[in-house]
C-alpha cells in the first residue's frame, strides 16, 4: 500500500513534492502552503528534508528541482495510490453492479452479509457486524457462489508482500547449482508461487515447488499482493528485470534475493 495512505507525514511529503514538481524551478513556499493546507514554516522544513534525502535539488533562492530519485518516488507512490483507488472502486465500494462471493454459510436472497477477502477471493458471511457489508440477491449453500450487491464500507485488508527469488540462467555453468531445499524453504511461506523463465520452472520442479503459472508472473504477483496475498516469483536473472518492472509499475513493494 502507498505510504501516503499509512501516515499523515508521508501524505504531506507526497503533496509538497508534487507541488514542487508542478511549479519548478521557481517555487513559492507560501503558495505550496496554501495548496497543501500547512504553514509556510512546515513547507520549509519538508523541503529541507527532501533536499537532504536527495529527492529535491536546491538551485538558488526559492529555486528547486525534483531529482530523478524524487520523480521515481513520486511515481511509485502515485501508482500505489492509483492501484488502491482501483481496488476500492472495483472491489469494495461498487454499489450498482453485482459481484460474486463465496458464502461461508447458507444464505437466501435478501440476506445481509459481511464481506471479507480470503485467499484473494471475496467471501460473504451472514450478518452485518463487519466493516464492509452487502446484500445477497441469490440463494446459495455454504461454499457456493452468491451474487452480492449494495456494498457499503471498506473491506479490511493488509497488502501482501512479493519476493523475487533469482536463479542462474541456463547460459551459465552454474545454472544447475540451485539449492532445491533452500528454494523450497524460501517459497514455503508464500500464498502463491509463479515462475519467470524456463530455468525458474525447472528449478521449481526440482525443488517440488507448486508453481501456479509462468505467464505474466510480475503482473500476477502484483495483483495477488493487492488482494492481501504473499507472492514469490522465481525468476532467472535474465528475466527478473521484467518482473521487477511490472511490480514497480503496479506500485508494489518487493525484495529481490537468492534462495
Amino acid at each position: 500500500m502507498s505510504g501516503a495512505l499509512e501516515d499523515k507525514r508521508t501524505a504531506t511529503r507526497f503533496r509538497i513534492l508534487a507541488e514542487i514538481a508542478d511549479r519548478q524551478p521557481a517555487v513559492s513556499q507560501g503558495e505550496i502552503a496554501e495548496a497543501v493546507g500547512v504553514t509556510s514554516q512546515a513547507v520549509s522544513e519538508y523541503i529541507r528534508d527532501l533536499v537532504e534525502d536527495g529527492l529535491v535539488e536546491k538551485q538558488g533562492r526559492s529555486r528547486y528541482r525534483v531529482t530523478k530519485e524524487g520523480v521515481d518516488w513520486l511515481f511509485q507512490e502515485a501508482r500505489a495510490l492509483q492501484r488502491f483507488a482501483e481496488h476500492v472502486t472495483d472491489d469494495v465500494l461498487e454499489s450498482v453492479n453485482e459481484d460474486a462471493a463465496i458464502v461461508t454459510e447458507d444464505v437466501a436472497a435478501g440476506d445481509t452479509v459481511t464481506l471479507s477477502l480470503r485467499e484473494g477471493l471475496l467471501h460473504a458471511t451472514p450478518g452485518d457486524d463487519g466493516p464492509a457489508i452487502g446484500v445477497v440477491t441469490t440463494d446459495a449453500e455454504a461454499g457456493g457462489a452468491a451474487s452480492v450487491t449494495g456494498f457499503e464500507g471498506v473491506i479490511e485488508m493488509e497488502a501482501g508482500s512479493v519476493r523475487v527469488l533469482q536463479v542462474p540462467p541456463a547460459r551459465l555453468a552454474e545454472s544447475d547449482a540451485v539449492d532445491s531445499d533452500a528454494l523450497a524453504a524460501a517459497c514455503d511461506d508464500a500464498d502463491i508461487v509463479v515462475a519467470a523463465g524456463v530455468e525458474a520452472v525447472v528449478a521449481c520442479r526440482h525443488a517440488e515447488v507448486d508453481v501456479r503459472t509462468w505467464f505474466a508472473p510480475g503482473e500476477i504477483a502484483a495483483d495477488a499482493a493487492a488482494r492481501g496475498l504473499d507472492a514469490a516469483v522465481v525468476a532467472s536473472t535474465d528475466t527478473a528485470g521484467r518482473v521487477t518492472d511490472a511490480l514497480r509499475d503496479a506500485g508494489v513493494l518487493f525484495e529481490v534475493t537468492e534462495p
Side-chain angles (χ1 to χ4, degrees):
M1 182 182 295
S2 166
L5 292 173
E6 296 179 343
D7 66 87
K8 183 177 180 180
R9 181 170 180 79
T10 304
T12 304
R13 181 183 176 95
F14 174 81
R15 292 194 61 191
I16 289 175
L17 187 58
E19 289 290 337
I20 294 173
D22 187 42
R23 302 167 187 269
Q24 63 184 9
V27 175
S28 167
Q29 296 185 12
E31 292 178 355
I32 292 178
E34 183 177 356
V36 177
V38 297
T39 66
S40 294
Q41 181 180 355
V43 172
S44 178
E45 293 174 355
Y46 272 100
I47 291 179
R48 184 176 63 249
D49 290 342
L50 290 168
V51 171
E52 290 178 355
D53 292 342
L55 303 184
V56 169
E57 179 185 49
K58 186 174 182 179
Q59 298 183 322
R61 183 176 178 83
S62 298
R63 295 183 69 83
Y64 300 89
R65 281 196 179 277
V66 178
T67 64
K68 179 182 182 300
E69 290 75 15
V71 171
D72 289 344
W73 187 83
L74 268 178
F75 182 77
Q76 290 189 29
E77 287 293 319
R79 290 302 299 267
L81 285 169
Q82 180 183 31
R83 191 170 184 84
F84 182 78
E86 290 172 352
H87 161 67
V88 172
T89 301
D90 297 340
D91 301 329
V92 180
L93 297 179
E94 180 60 65
S95 60
V96 178
N97 296 327
E98 297 188 1
D99 203 352
I102 298 172
V103 297
T104 60
E105 301 175 25
D106 294 353
V107 294
D111 286 351
T112 298
V113 292
T114 292
L115 303 171
S116 61
L117 277 177
R118 305 179 190 179
E119 297 181 338
L121 297 172
L122 187 64
H123 283 67
T125 300
D128 59 358
D129 55 350
I133 61 174
V135 177
V136 295
T137 60
T138 56
D139 299 343
E141 297 181 351
S147 186
V148 184
T149 191
F151 300 104
E152 296 180 12
V154 177
I155 297 176
E156 292 183 341
M157 183 197 69
E158 182 177 349
S161 63
V162 178
R163 294 183 66 195
V164 180
L165 304 169
Q166 293 190 128
V167 297
R171 58 186 172 78
L172 298 181
E174 65 267 25
S175 62
D176 293 329
V178 177
D179 187 330
S180 294
D181 291 338
L183 178 60
C187 296
D188 189 52
D189 293 335
D191 297 306
I192 181 173
V193 179
V194 293
V198 170
E199 300 95 332
V201 173
V202 171
C204 287
R205 288 176 177 173
H206 287 167
E208 297 183 350
V209 171
D210 181 21
V211 175
R212 295 291 185 89
T213 184
W214 42 85
F215 299 111
E219 290 79 358
I220 290 172
D223 192 47
R227 293 175 177 270
L229 300 180
D230 293 331
V233 184
V234 182
S236 72
T237 52
D238 287 346
T239 60
R242 292 196 293 273
V243 172
T244 56
D245 284 346
L247 295 172
R248 289 192 188 94
D249 288 345
V252 174
L253 298 178
F254 61 90
E255 64 171 336
V256 179
T257 185
E258 295 180 357

